[in-house]
Amino acid sequence: MASDSSDDDRPLAGTNGHKSAPKISPATDRKMDKLASRARPAPPNVSIRNGPVEDNAMDIDTTPNGGPKRKARSSVGQTVSYKDESDSDDGAPLLTISQAKRQKSKHKQEDSDSDDEPIARKKNGARLPPSIKNTAMVDSSDDDQPLGTKIAQRKAAIEKSAGKKKPAAKKAIKDESDDEPLAKPKKRQSNGVSAAKKTNGIKKEELDSDSDAPIAKKVKKEAPAKAKVKAAAAPAKKGRLVKEESVANSAADEEEEEEYRWWDAPKKEDDSIKWTTLEHNGVLFPPAYEPLPKDVKLIYDGTPVNLHVDAEEVATFFGAMLHSTQNVENPTFQKNFFKDFRDVLKETGGAKDQNGKPVDIKEFAKLDFTKIFEYYKGLSEAKKARPAAEKKAEKAEKDKFEAPYMYCKWDGRKEKVGNFRVEPPGLFRGRGEHPKTGTVKKRVMPEQVTINIGKEAKVPDPPAGHKWKAVQHDNKATWLAMWQENVNGNYKYVMLAANSTVKGQADYKKFEKARELNKHIARIRADYTAELKSEIMAERQRATAMYLIDKFALRAGNEKDTENEAETVGCCSLKFEHVTLREPNTVIFDFLGKDSIRFYNEFTVERQVFKNLKLFKKPPKADGDDIFDRLTTSQLNKHLSNYMPGLTAKVFRTYNASHTMSTLLQSLSVENRTMAEKIKLYNDCNREVAVICNHKRTVGAAHEAQMEKLADRIKGLKYQKWRTKMMMLDLDPKLKKKKGAEYFALDEDITQEWLLEHQKFLVEEQRTKIQKKFEKDNEKRVADGEAELDEKELKERLKVAAELEAKYKKENKTKKVEAEGKGPAVEKLEAAVSKFDERIKTLELQCADREGNKEVALGTSKINYIDPRLTVVFAKKFNVPIEKFFSKTLRDKFKWAIESVGDDDTWEF
């Protein structure tokens, strides 16, 4: 900070502008010392001119006006050297003490422009000796000597004093060139902390800095860091704090493990090696069968029969599912069950009546499972009726029991296991018209289970009295355990969960492979188009099949064992009867596809494709004969792999689904659309893809009930909107004339009969809410050791419902609705009407969406065939929360897609 303006033209202190300087009088010197001894220290952390500084950063001296001023501490025994400054700064304004110090520090690090001016040097940050403590001060006398003269006098005194004390300087300062710095900067330590000593709590680098900020501000910036260091160094006062910190650190470590970003990690050279270390706790077997009570029996031809426990368990499989008429009334289901049931009866000694006489069970129609069904139904209802606290406790116990099986250690990372439970025994249902539906699924024993685990890991213990079938250490396999089921002879595998690294990597590779097909699709299409006219029948059939798979997303199809599996087909396994031709170029497909879902579609094809199919159906072919009799799925996939490694017919379905979805989303116009409208537009695109992929489903039995419920909700909102309008009319009767009678009319969909029924429903709903809240409050009070609320309290609460009922009766009688709430205003009620309109529109969109989806399964294509990054980009681009499209499970499964796209809404398939 500059001094008074009257001194602006004076030379800087210490310049050689005055060749001779008079000596300062002893009286003046004594007077200054006296003043220094009387000076009061400034308040803590306050500099008189420059504001806050660190505690004890400077001693206090006096200013020319007699006020307190900082002065340098002594540093006895340190070598002092001097160097003259140049005259280049003559005429510059005076500096404050702190500015002068920073200026001197700056001069130490920069090249000197002068050989004349002596500068008080510090070595390693040492302070000046006491004999020169006042050199930086302006004389406090009131004489008229020029400031430069006074400073020159001080300079002479310093030189004389230094000369007396140190006749021989340890190190002389020689003349230096302009390019040689006076003081070399200190080296920093390898850990990034300055090696320079601190001066009164301030780092030397800060004192020497070229920054214009006051030192005090620099010290302030360092304060938080120091506070953190002190906090870290201070021991915890309570052991609980240390424990909580440890738990927090442990939780943070787990979170870091879960946040493993494999999509950002470098790719492995050998992708066939799936893991290096693997630890897990095996599988969880279902509980043992609990026999029926003695009074619950299977009845055959009117006679209760006693069964061996194994036979009784099989009988309960059927009896417990009598409510599932779709299965138990299926002749194939009944036939397969009865066959297996009789086999178990033979193995266990058959059935006996209450007197111990054998009962020969020959006919299924004479079996009565009613008692068994009623028993299990009662158990189910009792389980549902239990108090919430009991359910919660049971769930906690179940979770605790299952916890060891839920996770494994995969290459040191904690990964969630998907299906760690072994399937319980029961009746096989299958999909579609499966020929083995109703067959008994036998209980899986540990002796059937093979464990896959790391060599160094502890092998999980089998249940007591049992042993594993085998233990292996195959690090190229991703399953943890496997066994063979008895119905179809298929192998069942325990794999990692859908949100695991392994599953995520598999999904990523699948969609990246489909994206890679983009580069080859033009050449593939050109080739198969040319081969449609090939003279070689095998090539012509292959080209025609590729056309159907590419254009209409048909599955390739595999050969089936029709005795044991449902007769489902794909493109390569189409039979004569599955294809109907209609001139000039329409092809009608009608067959059972995957999961026995009927595929029925009419397609318009190219004329050459139509001719080829006509040729492939040429006599003597008849029903049961293959259309593509010179082509198999294996041959087709082998041919496709010549275009691109790993390319199969299945990749075309993923490619076409994702490509179609990408095209549809890009063509959407969502400007000025509500959130509900954006979601519906997305679902419409998803539906179109699902139709292409034939992801159909049968209309659920509950669909009609759900639609009726939705319609009631819409009517209910319309009724509430009407009541709100009537409240507006109650506040301002003139509105009827302003807005018109139609505005206040009840919606045409709402009949008087429905209105009365709905009011009754609302009153009952209010009672139910009050009752449940009362019960919940009592449960909480019991848990807290307090007395339960009495029935009087419940009756008092139920008055609210009674008042609501009375209000509706009055409204129906007077045809008026009184305004509710504190200080109701027409403007507020109009805003409420607008909100009701928005909610009604949202529900109507949901209603249309559900109706469109009743025969289409959107989930299959969204999860398995549409690249999830397309959904993420749509959500980002149009500000729709990803939660609207992906459930929590799917967000975990597709975390790689959400994170890899980030904020980039320009990503394309």
Side-chain angles (χ1 to χ4, degrees), residues 651-831:
V651 178
F652 278 85
R653 282 177 63 81
T654 308
Y655 166 79
N656 281 314
S658 294
H659 180 74
T660 302
M661 188 69 172
S662 177
T663 304
L664 291 172
L665 291 179
Q666 288 176 7
S667 66
L668 290 180
S669 176
V670 297
E671 294 180 3
N672 302 320
R673 300 271 190 170
T674 64
M675 186 68 70
E677 287 174 330
K678 292 177 183 178
I679 295 168
K680 176 142 188 329
L681 285 173
Y682 172 88
N683 287 340
D684 289 343
C685 297
N686 190 355
R687 187 180 302 109
E688 193 164 335
V689 173
V691 170
I692 290 173
C693 295
N694 197 45
H695 292 152
K696 297 180 181 179
R697 63 181 177 188
T698 54
V699 180
H703 175 73
E704 291 302 324
Q706 290 174 352
M707 295 303 293
E708 287 179 10
K709 192 174 181 180
L710 259 180
D712 278 344
R713 284 180 64 190
I714 293 171
K715 284 183 181 180
L717 288 175
K718 288 180 178 179
Y719 170 66
Q720 294 298 335
K721 184 178 77 168
W722 173 79
R723 288 189 77 249
T724 307
K725 288 181 179 180
M726 296 301 289
M727 291 178 196
M728 291 167 55
L729 203 58
D730 179 58
L731 292 175
D732 187 0
K734 294 179 182 179
L735 286 174
K736 190 168 186 178
K737 189 174 182 181
K738 291 180 182 179
K739 292 184 176 287
E742 292 183 3
Y743 181 81
F744 297 97
L746 191 62
D747 196 278
E748 294 178 356
D749 294 341
I750 300 175
T751 63
Q752 189 64 25
E753 183 182 357
W754 182 92
L755 189 147
L756 293 173
E757 191 67 30
H758 183 65
Q759 288 175 342
K760 185 179 178 181
F761 165 78
L762 291 176
V763 172
E764 193 60 38
E765 185 182 46
Q766 185 72 14
R767 286 198 183 100
T768 304
K769 285 181 180 178
I770 293 170
Q771 184 77 35
K772 286 184 177 179
K773 180 70 168 58
F774 180 79
E775 292 172 358
K776 192 173 182 181
D777 288 346
N778 271 341
E779 286 178 11
K780 188 176 185 300
R781 293 175 73 89
V782 169
D784 295 340
E786 299 177 10
E788 292 188 20
L789 298 170
D790 56 16
E791 290 297 318
K792 186 178 179 181
E793 173 65 21
L794 177 60
K795 289 179 180 178
E796 187 66 27
R797 294 186 183 187
L798 286 172
K799 285 182 180 179
V800 176
E803 290 171 0
L804 181 64
E805 187 176 19
K807 181 191 290 188
Y808 285 147
K809 286 182 180 178
K810 183 180 178 181
E811 290 176 3
N812 296 338
K813 186 177 181 180
T814 62
K815 304 299 180 182
K816 293 181 180 180
V817 179
E818 295 179 0
E820 300 171 347
K822 295 180 180 179
V826 173
E827 292 77 11
K828 289 183 179 179
L829 294 174
E830 283 183 330

Side-chain angles (χ1 to χ4, degrees), residues 278-294:
L278 176 60
E279 303 172 43
H280 61 85
N281 290 316
V283 292
L284 183 62
F285 290 91
Y289 169 68
E290 294 184 9
L292 294 170
K294 292 183 179 180

Side-chain angles (χ1 to χ4, degrees), residues 25-36 62 140-142:
S25 65
T28 303
D29 195 43
R30 286 194 300 273
K31 182 179 179 182
M32 294 177 67
D33 288 339
K34 188 176 181 180
L35 286 169
T62 55
S140 61
S141 64
D142 296 327

Side-chain angles (χ1 to χ4, degrees), residues 339-589:
K339 175 181 177 299
D340 286 352
F341 181 50
R342 281 176 57 83
D343 289 344
V344 174
L345 286 173
K346 289 177 183 177
E347 294 172 2
T348 58
K352 297 178 181 178
D353 63 14
Q354 302 304 306
N355 299 321
K357 294 182 178 179
V359 176
D360 189 9
I361 297 178
K362 294 182 178 180
E363 299 179 37
F364 174 81
K366 293 182 179 181
L367 288 171
D368 184 358
F369 297 90
T370 306
K371 294 287 186 183
I372 296 175
F373 173 72
E374 289 175 351
Y375 170 72
Y376 281 109
K377 184 181 179 181
L379 286 181
S380 177
E381 290 174 351
K383 191 175 181 180
K384 290 178 183 178
R386 289 176 305 161
E390 187 178 336
K391 293 178 183 177
K392 188 175 180 181
E394 184 186 25
K395 184 179 184 304
E397 187 67 26
K398 179 173 175 286
D399 291 344
K400 183 179 177 181
F401 180 71
E402 293 180 351
Y405 304 92
M406 292 181 70
Y407 294 92
C408 71
K409 279 284 186 179
W410 186 288
D411 283 346
R413 294 188 309 275
K414 188 178 180 181
E415 296 276 7
K416 193 172 184 180
V417 180
N419 51 337
F420 56 85
R421 301 177 189 86
V422 174
E423 275 188 81
L427 299 182
F428 175 74
R429 302 186 190 188
R431 293 172 174 172
E433 299 176 7
H434 202 288
K436 285 200 170 184
T437 185
T439 303
V440 173
K441 291 192 298 182
K442 296 180 180 178
R443 185 178 294 271
V444 177
M445 305 304 291
E447 286 75 12
Q448 298 170 250
V449 179
T450 299
I451 298 292
N452 189 32
I453 198 166
K455 288 183 179 180
E456 306 300 325
K458 179 185 179 300
V459 177
D461 296 325
H466 295 274
K467 62 180 181 178
W468 302 118
K469 178 181 180 180
V471 176
Q472 65 182 54
H473 316 287
D474 184 2
N475 62 0
K476 293 186 178 182
T478 57
W479 52 270
L480 311 183
M482 75 165 183
W483 61 90
Q484 190 175 20
E485 52 88 21
N486 67 290
V487 178
N488 296 308
N490 295 330
Y491 285 94
K492 299 286 186 177
Y493 296 90
V494 173
M495 312 287 283
L496 296 189
N499 63 344
S500 65
T501 300
V502 174
K503 292 286 188 180
Q505 288 172 337
D507 285 340
Y508 174 77
K509 289 176 184 176
K510 176 177 74 175
F511 291 115
E512 282 299 296
K513 189 179 289 183
R515 288 182 77 199
E516 180 71 16
L517 181 54
N518 262 321
K519 302 175 183 178
H520 308 279
I521 191 67
R523 183 162 63 98
I524 293 172
R525 286 172 176 168
D527 287 354
Y528 74 61
T529 301
E531 289 183 346
L532 287 173
K533 298 179 180 181
S534 175
E535 294 181 358
I536 302 174
M537 181 59 74
E539 289 183 358
R540 185 175 290 202
Q541 286 193 4
R542 185 180 66 200
T544 305
M546 287 175 67
Y547 174 91
L548 298 175
I549 290 169
D550 181 25
K551 298 298 182 183
F552 307 120
L554 294 185
R555 286 187 172 88
N558 295 302
E559 294 179 0
K560 298 282 182 181
D561 178 3
T562 52
E563 292 183 5
N564 298 323
E565 298 184 52
E567 191 176 357
T568 60
V569 299
C571 183
C572 296
S573 52
L574 284 169
K575 303 294 184 182
F576 182 91
E577 61 272 19
H578 296 149
V579 178
T580 304
L581 304 176
R582 188 172 65 220
E583 292 286 354
N585 57 350
T586 300
V587 180
I588 303 169
F589 293 100

Side-chain angles (χ1 to χ4, degrees), residues 54 198 201-202 219 221-231:
E54 194 165 308
K198 292 183 179 180
I202 305 173
V219 175
K221 289 178 183 177
E222 286 296 312
K226 290 181 181 178
K228 288 180 183 178
V229 172
K230 289 179 182 177

